[in-house]
Amino acid sequence: MKLELELKTGKPEEIEADVLAVPVFEDEDVASQEFAVLRSGTDGLIAEVLQSREFRGRPGDFYLVPRPPKLHAKRLLLCGAGRRAQYDADRIRQLMSNGFARWRQVIFKRVALWKRQGVEVDRTACAAVEGLILASYDPEEFKTSDRAFGSSEVTFILGGLGPLRRGRVQHNIERARILAECVNFARHLTNQPGNIVTPAVLAEKAEEVARQGNLKIEVLDEKQMQRIGMHALLGVARGSVAPPRLIVLSYMPASGRAGRKQRKGPLALVGKGVTFDTGGINIKPSQSMEEMKADKAGACAVLGAMRAVAQLKPQREVLAVIPSVENMPSGAAQRPGDVVKSLSGKTIEITNTDAEGRLILADALTYARQLGARELVDIATLTGACVVALGHVCAGLFASDDTLRDRLMQASRRAGEKLWQFPLYDDYKKEIQSDIADMKNSGSRWGGAIYAAKFLQEFVEDTPWAHLDIAGVDLFKDDTSPLKGATGFGVRTLAELCFL
Ligand code: BES
Ligand code: MN
Ligand code: ZN
C-alpha cells in the first residue's frame, strides 16, 4: 500500500477526509479543554452520542456518523478507546485495525485520526498506520495487502497536533508501514492451505523474499540433508510425498554500517515450518485438525521479519534458518519407538510422532550454530500445553540467557506482542530421558511446553538461546471478526530484536 502522510494542526472540523476517526474514552472528561475542542469541532455530536448511551467508548465500540454537519470530513467514526489511564499505542493500533477492517469494503482514500492526549505524536502515528495496514489484509480471500480499501493509495492524516518535528514522524511512519506490511505477508502465507504451500513452495517464497531484499539464500533438499545427517528432520518428513527443505537466508549489514552491534556476531532466527501437521502415526483427532495448516506460523514469522530486516537494515548480521516438512502418516512414516540420529550426533527415541516440531528444530538449531550463529532465537507453534497455560494472549518465552531475554522483552513491548516467561530448571529434564537413546521426544502431560523447550536446549549447547512458543497466538479465532485467521505474531518482535 502506498501511504502519504499529512500532519495537521488546527480544528477537527477543518480536516478534509473520507473518514475522521476520533478515539473517545469511556471516562471522557467532558469538562476538559481537549473535549471542548472536540465538542465544538463535531457540532456537539460526540457529547450527544455519549449521553444517549448508544456508544460508550469501550474498546471495540464504534459509531459511524455519515455526512456529519459542519465537518469537512465525509464521515465521523467514533472509536471506543477504553479508559483514559490505559490509553496507549496498543489501544490505538487495535482501534484502527478493528475499526477499519469492519469498513474494509468502503473505498477510503483519505483516512484521518484525531490525536488524543496521552500518547505522543510519533507513537500515535506509527500505531495508527500499523492498525490501518493490518486492517487492509482480507483473510477471507487470497488477497495481498495491496488491494486494500479497493485502493492502493491512502493518505493518512493525523490531526490535533501541536508543534512537532515532521521529519522524524515521517521516518518512523515509513518504518511502521514496512513492519505492518511484513506482518500481512506472514499472515497471508500462514493462512495458505497445506495443498498450496508445501515445503518446496515455502522455499520458493523465501527465494522471492531474498530476491526482493537482496538477501543471500541457500536451500537444502533431501539429498543434501541426508549427506550431512539431518535425520531428526528427515525422519519427520518420511511420511509425506512432499519433500522437505531447509531454508537459510542471510542478511549482511553494509560494511560502513557495521557498528557496535555487528561485533555481537550473527543472530539466527529459527522458525518451525510444518506445512501441515496431522500428527503422523500418532494421528491427531479430527476436531480442528484443519488449523494445523498454520503449523508453519513460526517459519512465516521469520520470513516476515527477514523481509523487514532487508528494508530496515539493522547493523547486525541476521540469519534465518527454516526447517520445513509435512508431518503425515503413511507406509513410509516414522514409527513411535524409532530411534534417529540428529545432525548434532545425539540420538533421539521417537515416543510420539506428533512431537515433530522439536525434531526439525533440533537439526535447524544445530545447523544455525554450524553456520556461526552467536545467538539463537527460535519461534514455533510447538505445544498445546503452552495454550493451556497462557491461552490466546501471550506467547511462551524460554531463555537460557538473561540479556537475550531482556532484549526480547523490550522488542516485544515495542511490537505490542505479549510474552510470558517459563522456567528451564534442569529438574524438568528427566521427563525426556530415554532408556535406549540420548533422549526421547516427548514427556508426560503436565508441563509439556517446558519439556519441549528442554528438548530444544539439548541442541543449543552454550550459545545464548531463546525460544518462543506461539501455539496459542498464531491464529485469531473470532469468526465474527474481520481480523480472523493468522496473526503474524512474532514478525515485529523479531524485527525489533535485530536493532537491540
Ligand atoms: N503443532 C502442534 C502444537 C499445537 C497444538 C499448535 C495446538 C497449535 C495448536 C505440535 O506439533 C504438537 O502436536 N505438539 C504435541 C506434543 C505432544 C505430542 C508431546 C501437543 O502439544 O500435543
Ligand atoms: Mn505435532
Ligand atoms: Zn506441530
Side-chain angles (χ1 to χ4, degrees):
M1 184 201 288
K2 201 162 160 258
L3 197 87
E4 294 280 331
L5 173 67
E6 286 178 21
L7 300 167
K8 297 269 191 217
T9 52
K11 301 176 181 164
E13 59 268 40
E14 290 164 356
I15 289 181
E16 307 258 2
D18 295 316
V19 55
L20 169 60
V22 177
V24 177
F25 299 115
E26 240 170 289
D27 49 350
E28 195 63 69
D29 177 6
V30 292
S32 69
Q33 178 60 29
E34 193 191 10
F35 194 75
V37 173
L38 280 172
R39 184 202 299 266
S40 69
T42 60
D43 200 28
L45 268 173
I46 296 185
E48 207 175 297
V49 172
L50 271 176
Q51 233 160 33
S52 74
R53 311 291 281 165
E54 285 165 86
F55 167 86
R56 301 206 208 167
R58 292 167 308 195
D61 286 355
F62 292 97
Y63 195 93
L64 186 71
V65 186
R67 299 240 156 247
K70 292 210 180 151
L71 265 71
H72 288 185
K74 290 187 189 142
R75 300 167 189 82
L76 174 65
L77 177 61
L78 304 184
C79 308
R83 301 192 72 80
R84 182 178 266 283
Q86 279 147 29
Y87 191 58
D88 60 7
D90 289 342
R91 221 357 82 85
I92 296 170
R93 188 186 307 110
Q94 275 160 20
L95 69 84
M96 289 296 276
S97 60
N98 286 319
F100 285 95
R102 196 187 291 198
W103 284 282
R104 188 154 43 206
Q105 325 77 286
V106 189
I107 297 177
F108 293 140
K109 290 200 164 145
R110 293 177 59 83
V111 173
L113 173 71
W114 186 258
K115 183 190 168 304
R116 299 301 310 262
Q117 285 166 13
V119 179
E120 45 181 12
V121 181
D122 271 47
R123 290 170 64 78
T124 301
C126 290
V129 162
E130 285 172 3
L132 203 57
I133 292 175
L134 294 177
S136 74
Y137 170 65
D138 185 352
E140 289 187 358
E141 311 201 13
F142 295 152
K143 279 184 188 167
T144 67
S145 58
D146 288 356
R147 269 176 269 168
F149 305 114
S151 151
S152 56
E153 286 177 34
V154 172
T155 302
F156 173 66
I157 304 140
L158 187 58
L161 304 179
L164 61 124
R165 287 163 56 193
R166 273 163 206 276
R168 200 183 75 187
V169 179
Q170 188 77 51
H171 172 266
N172 286 333
I173 283 241
E174 178 56 15
R175 192 171 189 277
R177 186 190 65 76
I178 289 170
L179 284 170
E181 284 197 345
C182 292
V183 174
N184 281 353
F185 167 85
R187 290 165 75 193
H188 186 56
L189 195 53
T190 306
N191 280 333
Q192 300 290 315
N195 64 326
I196 294 181
V197 171
T198 57
V201 172
L202 195 67
E204 281 167 26
K205 299 283 176 195
E207 267 156 19
E208 236 171 85
V209 171
R211 209 173 319 120
Q212 284 168 3
N214 243 325
L215 305 173
K216 250 182 36 197
I217 182 163
E218 188 196 15
V219 178
L220 304 193
D221 63 16
E222 214 167 353
K223 274 213 185 92
Q224 293 165 295
M225 288 189 265
Q226 246 146 20
R227 212 169 300 138
I228 59 176
M230 284 190 164
H231 296 291
L233 186 157
L234 289 167
V236 178
R238 280 183 46 173
S240 172
V241 291
R245 293 288 186 269
L246 185 98
I247 305 159
V248 181
L249 289 165
S250 47
Y251 162 81
M252 270 287 202
S255 47
R257 298 177 66 92
R260 187 177 51 84
K261 300 211 168 93
Q262 174 62 10
R263 270 179 262 138
K264 280 200 249 177
L267 164 69
L269 308 176
V270 180
K272 172 178 173 181
V274 176
T275 58
F276 197 84
D277 181 12
T278 62
I281 295 297
N282 293 104
I283 198 162
K284 288 181 180 295
S286 52
Q287 176 82 34
S288 304
M289 202 206 271
E290 70 279 5
E291 285 174 8
M292 285 301 128
K293 69 176 185 178
D295 212 18
K296 58 187 180 305
C300 297
V302 168
L303 278 181
M306 288 307 277
R307 224 171 104 105
V309 160
Q311 295 172 78
L312 300 175
K313 305 192 193 310
Q315 289 177 14
R316 182 162 196 201
E317 194 177 336
V318 186
L319 293 172
V321 181
I322 297 173
S324 185
V325 299
E326 184 179 50
N327 189 21
M328 284 289 203
S330 83
Q334 165 162 275
R335 291 153 288 257
D338 284 1
V339 175
V340 294
K341 188 175 205 145
S342 66
L343 176 63
S344 71
K346 295 184 180 178
T347 56
I348 305 162
E349 180 191 4
I350 310 298
T351 46
N352 194 320
T353 62
D354 197 10
E356 84 296 341
R358 62 199 76 180
L359 294 168
I360 67 170
L361 288 169
D363 279 348
L365 288 164
T366 304
Y367 197 66
R369 290 187 70 245
Q370 290 181 355
L371 292 175
R374 299 295 297 276
E375 278 184 327
L376 298 164
V377 177
D378 76 74
I379 179 164
T381 46
L382 206 61
T383 67
C386 186
V387 193
V388 172
L390 299 176
H392 302 294
V393 176
C394 299
L397 163 66
F398 300 81
S400 70
D401 180 89
D402 287 349
T403 70
L404 178 57
R405 188 257 335 258
D406 292 345
R407 274 156 48 228
L408 256 170
M409 286 305 288
Q410 201 186 334
S412 90
R413 274 191 295 270
R414 285 192 191 177
E417 295 175 325
K418 297 184 179 72
L419 304 179
W420 196 261
Q421 192 175 8
F422 281 80
L424 278 173
Y425 293 113
D426 270 336
D427 309 53
Y428 289 106
K429 232 171 86 175
K430 64 173 185 298
E431 288 282 342
I432 51 167
Q433 257 155 27
S434 162
D435 296 336
I436 57 169
D438 293 335
M439 69 195 91
K440 57 183 185 183
N441 79 329
S442 70
S444 66
R445 181 158 167 216
W446 312 111
I450 308 171
Y451 308 143
K454 288 308 281 183
F455 181 93
L456 296 179
Q457 196 177 16
E458 293 295 302
F459 299 89
V460 301
E461 304 293 337
D462 52 359
T463 308
W465 157 77
H467 156 59
L468 302 178
D469 193 333
I470 57 167
V473 293
D474 60 328
L475 295 176
F476 184 59
K477 286 191 240 178
D478 182 350
D479 267 342
T480 64
S481 168
L483 295 170
K484 68 189 170 192
T487 58
F489 189 105
V491 172
R492 284 178 315 126
T493 296
L494 294 177
E496 294 285 2
L497 178 68
C498 298
F499 289 88
L500 297 173

